Amino acid sequence: MNNDNVKELEDLVELSEAVQSMHEDGLRDNIVKDIYETAEYITKKVVTKKSQRKADIHKKVDDILTSRILGYPIMILLLGIVFWLTITGANYPSQMLASFFFWFETKLTSLFMYMGSPEWLHGILVLGIYRTLAWVISVMLPPMAIFFPLFTLLEDLGYLPRVAFNLDKLFKAAGAHGKQSLTMSMGFGCNAAGVIACRIIESPRERLIATITNNFVPCNGRFPTLIALSTIFVGGLVTSRYSTLAATSFVTLLVIFGIIITLVVSWILSKTILKGVPSSFTLELPPYRKPRIGRILYTSLIDRTIFVLGRAIVVAAPAGLVIWILANVMIGDMSILNHLAALLDPLARTIGLDGFILMAFVIGLPANEIVVPIMIMSYMSKGTMLELESLAQMKELFIANGWTFVTALNVMLFSLLHFPCGTTLWTIRKETGSFKWTLLSALLPTAIALAVCFIVAQGARLLGLV
Amino acid sequence: MGLTCESCGRGVLKKKFNLKCGEEYVIALAGNPNVGKSTVFNELTGLRQHTGNWPGKTVVNARGNYDYKNMKFLLMDLPGTYSLLANSVEEQVARDFICFGKPHATVVVVDATCLERNLNLVLQVMELTDNVVVCVNLIDEAERKGIFIDIRELESELGVPVVATVARDGKGLEELKRRIFNVAVGIQTPSSRKMKYSERVEEAIREIEPKIDKLLKGKLDARWVALRLIDGDKTIVDAIHEHVYYEKAIEIDGRR
């Protein structure tokens, strides 16, 4: 019995080798062709097509949106429109919220005075926690409440897969996976969510590339920073009539710069430590769908806006407390905050920042949302007391502390490129299961941020701009 | 019913695919990627699912249970593939399960909006087994695009039961379960359309099919194996080695 089986198998192997010559003259192609022809024959018999104008319109729209020439400009234009609506729309409610919160702060202060509470308690609760929260909410809430519904609308319409289709070629050329553009889009919402979305990439090599580079798209925690700074510094460069347009274009440029960095880093990674060939995949474009307004508002406002804001508040409240303590506990004749800032100052200066800014980024590790509030608080604690009720006053505060256009540019670049926030790092650790890759995901962006800011700062210095 | 692994010759299911094959019918679920296969799977099995890996492969496998007419059904979700020509690990896994696992029925989920491309897989599955049920999914989306499919005509062309569904809304799934039941239990014996190839291929088949039949003695469909060899499929001999001669092969190794 056993011998028979051995014989059978050996004969089979022999037979298969004998047949080898057969398929060399194209029999394999014949088999496939025959199957295709049969499928075509059956399809013709059972399928009737009524020329539906709707399907034709879909195809025409797709031809335009994913065309070689128009694809990218349309993409950039749409991105620009979304930012423009966000910046224009967020300005007024932001100021309203801010003035409301600071009106309420004076009431709170009077209440504390009336109750005769000690100075430090008022400091911690009102100037520390409350003020930070007020800033986070009034700066973040309005842009998010506009940006997220718009982004969800594009998602619901079916535009995002077209973005992936457009970018597919670029990512392939960078040795990465086409789906990376989708995980990148998720990163606009939240980098931690973007990192989790990398699961859709099957190949471990390409998944790692997507994970490490996800940080280069600004999440909503960094958008308000970019939007606020480009509104006051870039928008301020031109006449007020074009200031929104200038600010919008600049934020769009920053995002494109982030995407270019993503591609460059992906390419470098795929040529060095993550060598390999990009795996192919078939991207199917789903049909355009009529957006469901109710669902868009629900997912964008409840799932995203409130969720992100809630997280920011949870992180910002204790951070406000810590910063107030750092700013008010004195060692010698300087606060701890000033000591730390002085320590970081030399490094910060070479990359066009100052000690307070760099420290804000470091302390802001738990959440990017609180970086600007930390800067404001630390500047204010130096004695430059200001009632911060509008972006204009924020600009005055920054300029009073030695900011120039180049400083603002470097802050934006650093914010775009620096290490991911604590939540994202923790997610990377969980997703990759490796401390080594997590460390690289933190160090690589930081090194790039330092290098880019160094080049910009030194370049500006050489050109005599500062 | 008295249906066991041994009695139905499905011992290989237990051995190779880690299936607990008791008094239940094993149904394979195949289909191209993005045709709503997972939706069909989820709608049929609900929360009674397990996931794991295919033995020795880094391909995820999902299986789930459902009951119909007091019978237990075990649904195996095969990887989404465009063909069974073993070009990738996924295609190999799907092929091996249908070929060597011998499920009681194989459901092929197809996308109504692009039937032609999906039929390639249906034709290839039907070369392996007669017990096929075709599930034409996304029928609503197709109609919106102006594509209408004559289900009865498709059924007579293919020779196997065809069910139109909108899995997302649960439409047509009762009918699908009924047709799966009929095929699996043997109430209905489909006679699936067999591919006829062009003369050069048929000639090659005629040349080697008898030799293969002599070797395999009906353990596998000789015509199909002949086609694979003509195809130049490197994996098929290994697969036969592994699945058909598995135990014996180990003894041989031990003796040498």
Side-chain angles (χ1 to χ4, degrees):
Chain A
M1 190 62 193
N2 284 341
N3 284 331
D4 282 357
N5 281 329
V6 180
K7 181 103 181 36
E8 276 177 26
L9 197 63
E10 276 167 1
D11 286 352
L12 196 64
V13 174
E14 214 169 88
L15 191 61
S16 79
E17 272 156 15
V19 179
Q20 292 283 319
S21 58
M22 269 186 175
H23 55 254
E24 267 158 26
D25 44 65
L27 276 185
R28 172 173 195 146
D29 295 341
N30 259 355
I31 294 178
V32 176
K33 199 177 114 244
D34 289 341
I35 294 176
Y36 274 55
E37 276 172 2
T38 313
E40 194 189 340
Y41 166 79
I42 298 174
T43 308
K44 275 206 181 116
K45 275 189 110 169
V46 302
V47 173
T48 34
K49 272 192 186 166
K50 286 193 189 137
S51 77
Q52 207 87 338
R53 283 190 44 220
K54 214 168 144 194
D56 292 344
I57 291 169
H58 279 189
K59 216 191 144 298
K60 283 208 182 97
V61 172
D62 261 348
D63 284 347
I64 297 169
L65 287 184
T66 60
S67 88
R68 238 165 233 279
I69 306 159
L70 290 174
Y72 290 117
I74 291 176
M75 220 161 65
I76 292 166
L77 192 71
L78 276 174
L79 197 68
I81 291 174
V82 169
F83 292 149
W84 185 78
L85 287 173
T86 308
I87 291 174
T88 330
N91 216 351
Y92 189 63
S94 256
Q95 291 198 10
M96 280 211 339
L97 278 173
S99 33
F100 167 76
F101 280 126
F102 289 102
W103 167 82
F104 193 68
E105 188 191 299
T106 53
K107 297 288 157 207
L108 273 179
T109 305
S110 338
L111 182 71
F112 273 78
M113 300 286 205
Y114 175 75
M115 296 199 321
S117 66
E119 184 60 29
W120 60 267
L121 188 67
H122 172 253
I124 286 178
L125 291 180
V126 178
L127 299 181
I129 297 177
Y130 177 82
R131 189 172 272 185
T132 312
L133 282 183
W135 258 100
V136 168
I137 294 172
S138 52
V139 171
M140 282 184 64
L141 181 61
M144 275 182 355
I146 297 169
F147 179 77
F148 279 153
L150 288 175
F151 195 74
T152 317
L153 178 73
L154 287 183
E155 194 180 343
D156 215 47
L157 273 169
Y159 182 66
L160 287 194
R162 272 83 190 171
V163 172
F165 182 85
N166 283 336
L167 293 175
D168 182 39
K169 264 172 276 153
L170 286 180
F171 278 100
K172 282 253 173 67
H177 199 287
K179 281 188 197 166
Q180 191 174 331
S181 52
L182 285 177
T183 62
M184 206 179 71
S185 313
M186 286 295 293
F188 279 116
C190 168
N191 291 133
V195 167
I196 293 176
C198 291
R199 289 180 186 176
I200 61 171
I201 299 171
E202 290 87 7
S203 135
R205 179 190 81 87
E206 288 150 13
R207 197 186 309 149
L208 270 173
I209 293 180
T211 305
I212 293 169
T213 56
N214 193 272
N215 180 50
F216 296 127
V217 288
C219 64
N220 62 76
R222 290 179 280 165
F223 259 122
T225 309
L226 300 180
I227 288 174
L229 289 180
S230 72
T231 306
I232 56 179
F233 282 95
V234 182
L237 287 178
V238 294
T239 53
S240 60
R241 211 164 146 200
Y242 300 108
S243 63
T244 316
L245 194 65
T248 305
S249 319
F250 195 75
V251 174
T252 313
L253 273 180
L254 275 177
V255 169
I256 295 171
F257 182 67
I259 295 172
I260 293 172
I261 293 283
T262 303
L263 289 166
V264 171
V265 172
S266 301
W267 183 80
I268 293 172
L269 285 175
S270 76
K271 287 282 170 292
T272 53
I273 46 176
L274 289 167
K275 260 196 198 112
V277 200
S279 51
S280 64
F281 79 114
T282 321
L283 186 72
E284 296 200 18
L285 295 179
Y288 293 98
R289 294 193 181 89
K290 204 188 283 168
R292 289 155 293 174
I293 303 297
R295 204 193 70 97
I296 290 178
L297 288 179
Y298 182 83
T299 38
S300 56
L301 294 181
I302 306 297
D303 279 7
R304 295 188 176 165
T305 310
I306 299 297
F307 172 78
V308 171
L309 194 69
R311 200 180 67 112
I313 289 172
V314 167
V315 180
L321 176 75
V322 169
I323 296 155
W324 189 88
I325 293 172
L326 288 179
N328 286 276
V329 175
M330 297 295 193
I331 297 177
D333 56 348
M334 279 207 301
S335 66
I336 301 178
L337 197 72
N338 284 356
H339 278 294
L340 284 174
L343 198 70
L344 289 170
D345 208 55
L347 171 65
R349 294 279 169 200
T350 47
I351 56 168
L353 308 175
D354 69 28
F356 288 100
I357 302 171
L358 194 57
M359 189 188 56
F361 277 114
V362 174
I363 300 179
L365 176 71
N368 287 303
E369 294 86 341
I370 57 170
V371 170
V372 171
I374 294 173
M375 285 185 223
I376 292 170
M377 288 182 71
S378 40
Y379 285 145
M380 299 219 298
S381 71
K382 286 201 322 185
T384 335
M385 284 306 288
L386 261 180
E387 286 288 306
L388 276 169
E389 279 175 28
S390 67
L391 286 177
Q393 282 163 332
M394 188 161 121
K395 185 180 185 179
E396 278 171 36
L397 175 71
F398 285 158
I399 288 178
N401 281 283
W403 280 46
T404 60
F405 170 74
V406 179
T407 319
L409 177 64
N410 277 321
V411 172
M412 287 189 271
L413 286 171
F414 198 82
S415 170
L416 178 72
L417 304 171
H418 79 302
F419 46 82
C421 74
T423 315
T424 306
L425 284 174
W426 185 65
T427 312
I428 294 175
R429 172 76 180 79
K430 263 197 355 197
E431 291 294 306
T432 60
S434 137
F435 179 71
K436 198 183 76 187
W437 290 116
T438 314
L439 195 67
L440 183 74
S441 308
L443 293 182
L444 190 71
T446 311
I448 291 170
L450 290 174
V452 168
C453 289
F454 178 79
I455 292 166
V456 171
Q458 299 307 321
R461 213 158 285 175
L462 281 177
L463 292 172
L465 292 176
V466 189
Chain B
M1 217 34 213
L3 193 90
T4 61
C5 289
E6 276 66 41
S7 71
C8 62
R10 283 178 182 85
V12 71
L13 274 176
K14 193 175 175 181
K15 244 178 276 151
K16 291 307 297 175
F17 299 100
N18 288 326
L19 279 193
K20 186 179 106 284
C21 168
E23 308 268 318
E24 54 189 3
Y25 291 103
V26 178
I27 312 296
L29 191 63
N32 288 12
N34 296 326
V35 294
K37 192 163 65 69
S38 301
T39 317
V40 172
F41 180 74
N42 290 335
E43 287 287 328
L44 286 181
T45 61
L47 293 171
R48 298 162 66 187
Q49 300 181 0
H50 312 274
T51 48
N53 268 352
W54 290 95
K57 306 270 170 22
T58 54
V59 179
V60 178
N61 108 7
R63 61 182 88 150
N65 293 88
Y66 73 91
D67 293 339
Y68 185 77
K69 291 194 177 168
N70 291 327
M71 297 290 175
K72 285 190 190 320
F73 288 83
L74 176 74
L75 197 61
M76 290 296 289
D77 192 13
L78 302 181
T81 58
Y82 292 100
S83 83
L84 291 182
L85 299 175
N87 293 318
S88 66
V89 190
E90 283 81 8
E91 293 183 7
Q92 208 182 319
V93 164
R95 181 200 68 190
D96 286 356
F97 188 81
I98 299 172
C99 176
F100 303 107
K102 295 204 190 320
H104 296 86
T106 301
V107 179
V108 188
V109 184
V110 301
D111 180 349
T113 61
C114 43
L115 188 67
E116 187 173 329
R117 189 182 60 199
N118 285 252
L119 280 182
N120 294 325
L121 180 67
V122 176
L123 290 169
Q124 290 175 40
V125 171
M126 290 195 314
E127 286 190 307
L128 276 169
T129 168
D130 270 333
N131 291 347
V132 175
V133 177
V134 174
C135 163
V136 183
N137 195 28
L138 303 173
I139 200 90
D140 57 335
E141 213 159 280
E143 280 172 13
R144 270 204 299 281
K145 284 188 176 173
I147 300 167
F148 297 91
I149 298 170
D150 186 340
I151 298 293
R152 293 287 82 80
E153 179 72 19
L154 182 59
E155 199 165 275
S156 76
E157 280 295 327
L158 295 175
V160 300
V162 179
V163 184
T165 62
V166 184
R168 213 177 20 220
D169 305 336
K171 274 186 203 151
L173 292 177
E174 261 323 290
E175 174 71 1
L176 180 65
K177 279 195 240 177
R178 192 177 69 83
R179 303 304 280 272
I180 296 173
F181 177 85
N182 286 353
V183 171
V185 178
I187 295 174
Q188 184 182 5
T189 324
S191 57
S192 65
R193 176 198 192 101
K194 291 293 168 224
M195 273 295 304
K196 273 203 190 60
Y197 290 93
S198 44
E199 196 40 44
R200 287 181 61 215
V201 180
E202 289 292 343
E203 202 177 299
I205 295 172
R206 275 197 296 276
E207 197 180 311
I208 58 171
E209 191 186 338
K211 295 178 193 161
I212 292 169
D213 202 29
K214 226 190 277 166
L215 285 175
L216 291 173
K217 301 188 188 83
K219 283 174 198 132
L220 278 179
D221 183 60
R223 182 183 161 88
W224 183 78
V225 177
L227 272 165
R228 296 290 74 78
L229 292 184
I230 296 168
D231 207 18
D233 182 345
K234 300 266 190 304
T235 65
I236 187 65
V237 176
D238 290 340
I240 291 174
H241 176 188
E242 193 182 337
H243 294 285
V244 180
Y245 301 122
Y246 184 61
E247 283 177 314
K248 279 97 187 177
I250 288 172
E251 286 179 29
I252 296 161
D253 286 340
R255 217 175 39 188
R256 271 176 191 172

